[in-house]
Amino acid sequence: MTPERWQQISRIFKSAISLDGEARAAYVRDQCGPDESLRSEVEKLIESHQQASAENFIGGRAADDGVVLVIDEVEEHPPRLNKGQQLGSYVIIDKLGAGGMGEVYLAKDSRLERTVALKVLSPDISADKRRMQRFSQEAKVASSLNQPNILTIFEFGEVDGLTFLATEYIDGETLRHHLRGKRLKLTETLDIAIQVLSALDAAHEAGIVHRDIKPENVMIRRRDAVVKVLDFGLAKVTEKKSHALAEEESEAATAFKTAPGVLMGTVNYMSPEQARALSVDERTDIWSIGVMLYEMVTGLMPFGGPTSSHTLVQILEKETPAFPKVADAPAELQRIIRKAMAKSPDERYQSAKDLAVDLKSLRKQLEQKSVLVADDTDRGPDKKRVLVLALVVMAVVTAGIFGWSIWRASRARSSVAVPPSAPVAAVPERLLTYWITVQEFREGKYKEPYTMAAEVSFEPKDQIRLYVSSPQAGHLYILNEPPRGAAAVPEFQILFPSPTANKGSTFLEANKQVQIPEKSWFQFDAQEGVERVWLVFSEDAVPELESVKGFASEESKGIIADMTLNKAIQDFLTTHSATKPNLEKGETLTTLKMPGKLLLYAVRLEHH
Amino acid sequence: MKRLPKQHEITQLLAEWSDGNQSALDELYPLVYDELHRLARRYMSRERKGHTLQTTALINEAYVRLVDQRNVHWANRSHFFAISAQIMRRILIDHARRHAYAKRGGGAQQVSLDEAAIVTRALGSDLLRLDEALKSLAEKDPRRSQVVELRYFGGLNNEEIAGVLHVSENTVTRDWNMARAWLYQQLTESAAN
């Protein structure tokens, strides 16, 4: 219907409903003239208007009826565990949610003093011993993966007749929640997909197929936007038990026929082979992530119908639709998604790795493109200024005494606190994620802090904080190199460890986030230039850098006054910065990856 | 890094949005969403069987909690309700949808355990179809679709809606009639097919 037509109908409708009986009919006839279809549309609408009024259609409020039923629903399944109750070594803190599979609680593991998410499986799922045994095996394998994008499984067990799964607790939201029916930015889409693929790659290598990749099973951690894939191996456990129905129609199609008019989320991510209830391999996950990519880019589902059966038929028969015009996604991404969603598994990407390679190179292309665009706009005559800058440490809030004894104590502790399952990767690799929060100083006031998404040119008095985290444990050193002046050897400043951050220890536990400085900000002064913040992250303590820890005191403000030491640091950094880490830039955070046991990278901060 | 919503921040964003700064809405949306979602969940876990929860009560509570009452202009209040209506719609639809999965139980389509399954039985599919119809109405006629959203999902009365949309109350009544008739027609037609 054209907008003009719509306007026309609504204009006639509006006046017509204020008239009665014959007058109304005459008015409509008069206004529509010879246009029969217009008259029929207006009359149909008037008819609907009368019926809607008579039935009080949407006359109440949406939530009213709905919420009564909600509370009903909660009443039907009272929580099996209450706050403070104990299940084995776990003490229940709160109920987080419930679903078809059971309930999830926030709990504390009293043995290890850590917070966990505890999934208590519903009896009808846990009753099938054979399946539970298989799940137990898969959970074991999945827990051994120790991949940063896979939700860590701590324990799978049974206590007092309740089968439970203890996993790491993620404070964040599901991708479903994050999407909220809208589409995501291209960079964010790629970041999420690449992380999910890293998880899948590790799992597939270990012979585990997820089988139920969908936005509900992807969590995004609140603090750093790291993606975690949930429920590896769980889908298989909850699959339909009977294969007897597979004769004439697919089992799945039969199962869903009973629910007309209900939109079934999970059907939407099913691969054709799943829809046919055939056996599946890792390529079914490739399909599902293709669907998820499509949804992230366009905000729409590629396949969907009024009932699940309609959707399944589309999955089996319809080609993946082209992106709608609103999605400004590149054609290359469309090609990638089509390939991931080829009907035949043989025509899809054969591994998560292959798909990730294509997504990464697309991301690189996009980055280069945006760099080119930025270069063009930056090429003003005034921009050629030489940048000089300096960074000063603001007065650090004193907290405790920094000294050798504390360092030794924390080191002794840390050697015990080795993560339960160290990575078993054949080629060692170091991983470190960092992001920077900026508080700009403009017109005499500090603005609200924000997390830096792209290169920023700093001004005097602007303040920054640096955040670092890694899925691996290791020794972290952060050094600041002032703008390169005439001096052959720069005077380095040690930013981490500090008297306050991490209690002066260089040892960083896995997944622990450090903020530097801990209680204050770094502030830029009026001196212009390029400041380098060196991040050194090593599996073992670095002897060359351990010796400078003594300068990390409040009196010296971290400035290393000993030129022999500065020279040693410079030599160390020069020697090891020959290999550059691989950069994965997210919306606001950057993940550095480097083969070997040592990672080294200089963050450049430009200051006008 | 997600900051906790602060009263003055939300009040400020509301004012900026009322003044026509659309990007303020992008910042506001997640803050209000989180609060409404949290409140809704809290109510649902606390209320007893048979209790009715008014959307308006929920939005009012969020409003009192999130907005600094001393510095707020009436127009900002309407805007808060407008955004909340949109969010309530999303929350209800999300839950209706999720519940639809949950009801299936078993099968390979278990609901994710991360979200409490809230909302509805028979209403679920109607609500989802209404949402779809409302989306297509928004493409044709965004204002009429918004009137329905504000009234049905946000619980606003015609006078308040007129304030949010900067139109007369008569216009709101007329928009409502047309939108409702059209939606009714869409839903009965799709049910017939």
Side-chain angles (χ1 to χ4, degrees):
Chain A
M1 190 188 296
T2 64
E4 294 75 33
R5 185 73 161 185
W6 174 256
Q7 286 305 326
Q8 209 178 2
I9 294 171
S10 78
R11 188 181 52 76
I12 302 169
F13 170 84
K14 181 177 77 187
S15 307
I17 59 167
S18 64
L19 301 169
D20 287 322
E22 192 42 44
R24 173 186 287 172
Y27 176 80
V28 173
R29 271 198 307 275
D30 179 49
Q31 291 293 314
C32 298
D35 193 339
E36 283 293 319
S37 83
L38 178 64
R39 202 182 74 196
S40 127
E41 285 194 72
V42 172
E43 280 170 353
K44 248 168 55 192
L45 208 56
I46 293 172
E47 170 79 22
S48 293
H49 167 70
Q50 285 165 331
Q51 291 200 1
S53 303
E55 291 174 23
N56 196 23
F57 171 66
I58 57 174
R61 299 294 180 257
D64 301 349
D65 324 290
V67 174
V68 175
L69 292 164
V70 168
I71 297 159
D72 254 18
E73 195 65 18
V74 173
E75 281 295 308
E76 268 180 9
H77 306 284
R80 279 181 288 172
L81 297 168
N82 298 313
K83 282 178 197 176
Q85 202 175 328
Q86 200 144 358
L87 182 72
S89 64
Y90 301 98
V91 182
I92 305 299
I93 299 170
D94 205 356
K95 186 175 170 183
L96 292 174
M101 250 171 42
E103 288 150 356
V104 197
Y105 300 90
L106 181 66
K108 183 132 198 161
D109 184 347
S110 55
R111 287 169 307 185
L112 296 162
E113 283 295 306
R114 68 181 167 197
T115 310
V116 301
L118 204 64
K119 301 191 176 189
V120 178
L121 301 186
S122 70
D124 53 317
I125 289 175
S126 57
D128 188 332
K129 293 294 168 209
R130 198 175 54 83
R131 270 163 200 276
M132 288 326 290
Q133 197 178 358
R134 191 198 295 160
F135 175 50
S136 155
Q137 281 164 3
E138 295 216 11
K140 265 185 204 138
V141 184
S143 65
S144 71
L145 293 173
N146 196 31
Q147 201 280 341
N149 301 114
I150 296 177
L151 187 82
T152 308
I153 298 173
F154 294 135
E155 191 184 1
F156 176 67
E158 199 188 316
V159 174
D160 305 333
L162 294 177
T163 310
F164 67 89
L165 182 71
T167 67
E168 86 184 281
Y169 168 64
I170 301 294
D171 178 23
E173 60 179 0
T174 63
L175 177 57
R176 161 68 58 232
H177 198 201
H178 188 63
L179 279 163
R180 290 169 197 153
K182 64 180 191 311
R183 59 202 174 96
L184 301 182
K185 282 185 191 149
L186 204 49
T187 46
E188 193 180 13
T189 299
L190 294 176
D191 279 341
I192 292 173
I194 288 167
Q195 292 187 66
V196 172
L197 285 165
S198 304
L200 287 178
D201 183 38
H204 292 170
E205 286 279 310
I208 300 174
V209 181
H210 191 292
R211 300 183 189 85
D212 195 18
I213 288 291
K214 57 181 176 181
E216 287 80 356
N217 277 334
V218 174
M219 284 285 283
I220 303 166
R221 190 157 61 192
R222 201 183 302 279
R223 69 172 143 90
D224 55 7
V226 164
V227 166
K228 299 268 181 180
V229 181
L230 321 181
D231 291 353
F232 269 96
L234 216 50
K236 187 134 194 174
V237 185
T238 51
E239 269 170 16
K240 280 265 184 276
K241 291 168 193 170
S242 160
H243 285 271
L245 292 167
E247 294 293 326
E248 288 176 19
E249 262 179 304
S250 87
E251 179 190 356
T254 310
F256 297 124
K257 271 207 170 150
T258 49
V262 178
L263 288 172
M264 302 283 296
T266 320
V267 186
N268 290 306
Y269 302 88
M270 269 191 176
S271 65
E273 59 271 26
Q274 271 177 319
R276 289 203 162 92
L278 301 172
S279 66
V280 299
D281 57 25
E282 64 268 21
R283 294 172 298 181
T284 191
D285 290 343
I286 302 285
W287 168 283
S288 304
I289 196 171
V291 178
M292 224 163 71
L293 267 166
Y294 190 98
E295 191 183 4
M296 288 192 279
V297 177
T298 64
L300 302 168
M301 300 300 306
F303 302 119
T307 70
S308 308
S309 325
H310 286 89
T311 306
L312 289 170
V313 168
Q314 287 192 10
I315 289 172
L316 293 172
E317 291 171 1
K318 233 178 87 179
E319 274 309 304
T320 308
F323 288 157
K325 284 204 181 71
V326 284
D328 47 357
E332 171 66 0
L333 185 56
Q334 186 144 206
R335 184 197 66 80
I336 294 173
I337 291 175
R338 284 230 162 116
K339 185 167 173 191
M341 291 176 68
K343 300 285 182 210
S344 155
D346 292 336
E347 286 163 24
R348 279 176 220 154
Y349 287 97
Q350 296 299 295
S351 73
K353 206 173 264 153
D354 290 348
L355 174 50
V357 164
D358 274 10
L359 291 179
K360 281 178 188 167
S361 74
L362 175 63
R363 184 169 62 181
K364 201 162 229 166
Q365 280 171 27
L366 293 172
E367 271 166 16
Q368 280 163 355
K369 220 162 142 190
S370 66
V371 167
L372 283 177
V373 172
D375 276 358
D376 288 345
T377 55
D378 264 7
R379 218 162 277 156
D382 289 336
K383 298 280 176 174
K384 293 278 178 193
R385 268 189 290 166
V386 179
L387 307 166
V388 198
L389 111 162
L391 190 72
V392 295
V393 183
M394 279 191 73
V396 180
V397 180
T398 329
I401 309 145
F402 177 73
W404 186 245
S405 60
I406 287 180
W407 176 70
R408 278 173 69 107
S410 64
R411 202 174 140 80
R413 262 203 317 279
S414 63
S415 60
V416 181
V418 172
S421 42
V424 283
V427 182
E429 187 184 44
R430 285 272 102 188
L431 276 167
L432 190 70
T433 299
Y434 76 88
W435 64 101
I436 295 171
T437 297
V438 184
Q439 194 175 26
E440 287 175 349
F441 186 79
R442 298 288 179 274
E443 287 142 17
K445 281 195 301 206
Y446 279 107
K447 300 174 73 174
E448 279 287 315
Y450 65 93
T451 302
M452 198 164 107
E455 297 289 311
V456 170
S457 154
F458 296 100
E459 292 183 15
K461 289 200 182 172
D462 281 1
Q463 303 188 144
I464 62 159
R465 269 178 187 156
L466 180 68
Y467 295 83
V468 179
S469 165
S470 170
Q472 304 166 325
H475 291 265
L476 177 71
Y477 309 84
I478 304 179
L479 292 151
N480 176 226
E481 184 186 338
R484 293 209 172 136
V489 179
E491 194 172 56
F492 287 98
Q493 187 183 28
I494 184 152
L495 306 182
F496 186 90
S498 83
T500 50
N502 206 30
K503 298 196 180 75
S505 165
T506 61
F507 184 80
L508 185 65
E509 283 172 46
N511 296 316
K512 189 175 168 187
Q513 177 192 319
V514 283
Q515 176 192 313
I516 305 153
E518 196 186 21
K519 284 178 179 159
S520 182
W521 295 82
F522 292 122
Q523 194 182 55
F524 287 86
D525 67 7
Q527 200 190 345
E528 297 183 345
V530 178
E531 200 80 28
R532 282 175 182 76
V533 177
W534 288 92
L535 305 174
V536 181
F537 188 52
S538 167
E539 191 175 319
D540 306 312
V542 178
E544 292 92 330
L545 300 179
E546 284 294 318
S547 55
V548 303
K549 282 198 311 195
F551 289 94
S553 70
E554 211 197 330
E555 301 80 61
S556 66
K557 302 247 181 292
I559 292 166
I560 297 160
D562 183 330
M563 282 329 268
T564 325
L565 272 177
N566 279 320
K567 179 80 178 76
I569 296 168
Q570 189 184 28
D571 290 347
F572 174 82
L573 296 177
T574 316
T575 318
H576 291 89
S577 56
T579 345
K580 296 270 181 287
N582 176 21
L583 260 67
E584 277 182 17
K585 278 203 181 289
E587 197 91 312
T588 52
L589 34 106
T590 305
T591 299
L592 306 166
K593 275 187 196 169
M594 200 153 153
K597 290 180 168 186
L598 178 82
L599 179 149
L600 192 136
Y601 180 68
V603 181
R604 285 165 50 97
L605 301 170
E606 299 200 357
H607 176 34
H608 287 275
Chain B
M1 294 304 294
K2 207 156 185 176
R3 283 172 290 136
L4 285 172
K6 293 179 213 115
Q7 278 202 341
H8 70 87
E9 185 186 354
I10 293 197
T11 314
Q12 175 67 27
L13 286 169
L14 271 173
E16 282 176 26
W17 183 38
S18 306
D19 290 345
N21 175 4
Q22 281 303 308
S23 67
L25 179 61
D26 294 340
E27 283 187 61
L28 204 50
Y29 193 95
L31 298 178
V32 179
Y33 183 97
D34 286 351
E35 181 65 15
L36 280 172
H37 198 251
R38 202 183 59 76
L39 283 175
R41 275 168 81 136
R42 209 190 61 204
Y43 268 105
M44 287 167 202
S45 59
R46 204 177 54 188
E47 290 296 312
R48 287 201 317 278
K49 195 170 185 167
H51 268 240
T52 306
L53 168 59
Q54 300 284 346
T55 352
T56 29
L58 196 71
I59 297 176
N60 262 313
E61 180 168 345
Y63 180 69
V64 171
R65 293 172 54 87
L66 291 179
V67 180
D68 180 358
Q69 305 298 312
R70 290 158 306 178
N71 292 320
V72 75
H73 191 260
W74 187 85
N76 295 350
R77 185 179 177 279
S78 313
H79 276 82
F80 185 88
F81 274 73
I83 189 178
S84 299
Q86 201 185 351
I87 291 167
M88 280 314 294
R89 172 176 169 194
R90 188 130 289 158
I91 290 177
L92 286 166
I93 298 302
D94 278 357
H95 287 294
R97 197 166 281 155
R98 204 170 290 121
H99 186 79
Y101 319 153
K103 285 312 281 181
R104 303 302 309 149
Q109 64 281 2
Q110 83 276 13
V111 69
S112 162
L113 292 180
D114 304 286
E115 289 284 342
I118 313 180
V119 167
T120 128
R121 289 180 189 137
L123 186 75
S125 56
D126 289 347
L127 204 56
L128 295 174
R129 278 171 38 219
L130 175 68
D131 184 57
E132 291 301 317
L134 209 45
K135 276 185 204 159
S136 27
L137 178 61
E139 283 167 20
K140 272 195 238 310
D141 197 331
R143 194 183 69 201
R144 287 198 170 96
S145 143
Q146 219 187 339
V147 167
V148 176
E149 187 173 73
L150 289 168
R151 189 168 150 151
Y152 189 61
F153 291 97
L156 268 67
N157 63 33
N158 285 1
E159 187 189 349
E160 290 166 318
I161 297 170
V164 173
L165 299 177
H166 305 292
V167 295
S168 72
E169 259 186 84
N170 277 337
T171 304
V172 173
T173 311
R174 283 199 297 267
D175 280 356
W176 167 253
N177 280 331
M178 172 81 179
R180 184 171 68 162
W182 188 83
L183 289 169
Y184 184 87
Q185 192 178 315
Q186 292 298 304
L187 293 191
T188 42
E189 273 173 12
S190 77
N193 290 339

